[in-house]
C-alpha cells in the first residue's frame, strides 16, 4: 500500500520530545464551566499539539449546558484537554483541562490524582459554576488560583468584589487573562507556580 500521499501518517513534531534538560514534571488541572476557555487556554500555551476531546453538542446538552454568552459555541468538551509547557529548561507542566459541570465530576477522581494545583477559569457572566468547582477543590485540598477570562461583554468587577462573591481568602491569587493569548495564559500558570511555591515555603517554615 502506498502511504506516501497519506497525510494521516506524520512524523512527530520536534517539540513533541521532552527537552533532555527536563528534571521535574508537574501535573496541573484547568477547570471551569462550559465555554469558559479551558480548551482555548490549553491550546494557546501548549508546546505540543494539544489533545482535545471536543464533540458536537447534542440534544442531550440542551438545557443542561447553559451556554449563555457562548451562543456561537457548537462543541463542548466531553472529557478533557491535554497539553504540555516547559516553564524552564528543567520544569515541565502537564496540563489537563476538565469540565466543571456536575455531570462530569466522575472524571475528577482520576484526573486530580497527583495534581499539584489547579487553575479555575471563570466567566463573570456565570459565576455559579465556579462556586461548585471551588467548593470541590477546597474539599480535596487542591491549591488553586482564579483566572478571570476577559470576555468583551462580561461585567468587570474589581478583584476584591470577586473575592467576596466567591468567598475566597486573601491569599488566593485572582488574575485577569485572555486565554487566547499565549503570554497571558502562561502568566496564569506562572501565578499558580509562584502560589504553590509560597505554600511549600510557608509549610516548611512552620
Ligand atoms: N474574548 C475571549 N473569548 C475567549 C477567551 N477564551 C476563550 N474564548 C472563546 O470562548 C469560546 C469557548 O472557549 P472554549 O475554550 O471552547 O471553552 P471550554 O468549554 O472551557 O473549553 C471559544 O469560542 C473561544 O474562542 C478569552 O479569553 N476572551
Ligand atoms: Mg473545552
Amino acid at each position: 500500500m502506498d502511504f506516501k500521499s497519506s497525510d494521516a501518517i506524520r512524523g512527530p513534531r520536534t517539540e513533541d520530545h521532552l527537552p533532555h534538560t527536563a528534571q521535574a514534571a508537574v501535573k496541573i488541572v484547568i477547570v471551569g464551566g462550559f465555554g469558559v476557555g479551558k480548551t482555548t487556554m490549553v491550546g494557546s500555551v501548549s508546546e505540543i499539539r494539544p489533545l482535545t476531546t471536543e464533540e458536537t453538542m447534542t440534544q442531550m446538552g440542551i438545557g443542561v449546558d447553559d451556554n449563555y454568552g457562548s451562543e456561537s459555541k457548537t462543541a463542548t468538551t466531553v472529557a478533557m484537554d491535554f497539553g504540555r509547557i516547559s516553564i524552564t529548561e528543567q520544569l515541565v507542566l502537564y496540563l489537563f483541562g476538565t469540565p466543571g459541570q456536575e455531570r462530569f465530576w466522575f472524571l475528577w477522581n482520576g484526573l486530580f490524582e497527583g495534581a499539584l494545583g489547579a487553575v479555575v477559569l471563570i466567566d463573570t457572566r456565570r459565576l455559579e459554576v465556579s462556586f461548585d468547582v471551588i467548593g470541590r477543590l477546597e474539599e480535596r485540598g487542591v491549591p488553586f488560583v482564579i483566572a478571570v477570562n476577559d470576555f468583551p461583554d462580561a461585567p468587570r468587577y474589581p478583584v476584591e468584589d470577586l473575592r467576596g462573591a466567591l468567598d475566597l481568602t486573601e491569599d488566593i491569587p485572582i488574575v485577569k487573562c485572555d486565554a487566547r493569548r499565549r503570554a497571558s495564559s502562561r502568566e496564569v500558570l506562572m501565578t499558580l507556580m509562584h502560589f504553590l511555591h509560597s505554600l511549600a515555603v510557608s509549610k516548611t517554615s512552620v
Side-chain angles (χ1 to χ4, degrees):
M1 201 190 274
D2 179 14
F3 285 110
K4 283 200 185 88
S5 60
S6 167
D7 62 3
I9 298 174
R10 291 194 194 102
R13 302 205 304 185
T14 48
E15 62 271 40
D16 282 356
H17 298 293
L18 260 186
H20 67 278
T21 48
Q23 289 168 6
V26 167
K27 180 177 179 181
I28 299 296
V29 180
I30 297 176
V31 66
F34 170 61
V36 86
K38 301 178 296 294
T39 301
T40 306
M41 178 172 271
V42 174
S44 76
V45 288
S46 183
E47 59 206 9
I48 54 171
R49 197 180 305 123
L51 198 69
T52 186
T53 51
E54 294 271 343
E55 200 166 82
T56 305
M57 207 162 75
T58 62
Q59 285 292 113
M60 272 169 64
I62 295 170
V64 180
D65 279 323
D66 170 20
N67 66 345
Y68 168 73
S70 314
E71 286 82 3
S72 60
K73 195 168 147 52
T74 54
T76 184
T77 303
V78 291
M80 61 171 211
D81 306 294
F82 174 73
R84 190 191 79 202
I85 176 175
S86 309
I87 289 293
T88 63
E89 284 185 354
Q90 291 81 27
L91 178 64
V92 172
L93 307 188
Y94 284 99
L95 308 174
F96 293 81
T98 193
Q101 299 97 295
E102 193 174 344
R103 65 198 170 93
F104 293 113
W105 283 357
F106 69 95
L107 284 171
W108 282 40
N109 292 329
L111 213 60
F112 273 91
E113 208 160 294
L116 219 60
V119 171
V120 179
L121 263 180
I122 69 168
D123 177 345
T124 55
R125 295 168 298 184
R126 294 172 295 142
L127 278 183
E128 59 291 344
V129 182
S130 326
F131 296 137
D132 293 346
V133 167
I134 289 168
R136 276 183 73 85
L137 290 174
E138 285 171 345
E139 266 170 35
R140 285 172 176 262
V142 179
F144 60 90
V145 299
I146 304 287
V148 185
N149 215 357
D150 206 4
F151 289 97
D153 53 341
R156 290 184 167 72
Y157 301 112
V159 163
E160 288 321 307
D161 290 3
L162 280 174
R163 190 180 300 286
L166 296 170
D167 198 18
L168 297 172
T169 51
E170 277 300 310
D171 56 319
I172 297 186
I174 302 178
V175 289
K176 301 216 157 112
C177 79
D178 184 333
R180 298 165 301 179
R181 289 181 42 234
R182 183 182 170 87
S184 179
S185 296
R186 193 185 160 93
E187 202 51 46
V188 171
L189 294 171
M190 291 309 290
T191 304
L192 175 62
M193 295 316 287
H194 286 300
F195 181 54
L196 295 176
H197 183 255
S198 70
L199 290 179
V201 168
S202 65
K203 261 188 205 147
T204 53
S205 61
V206 174

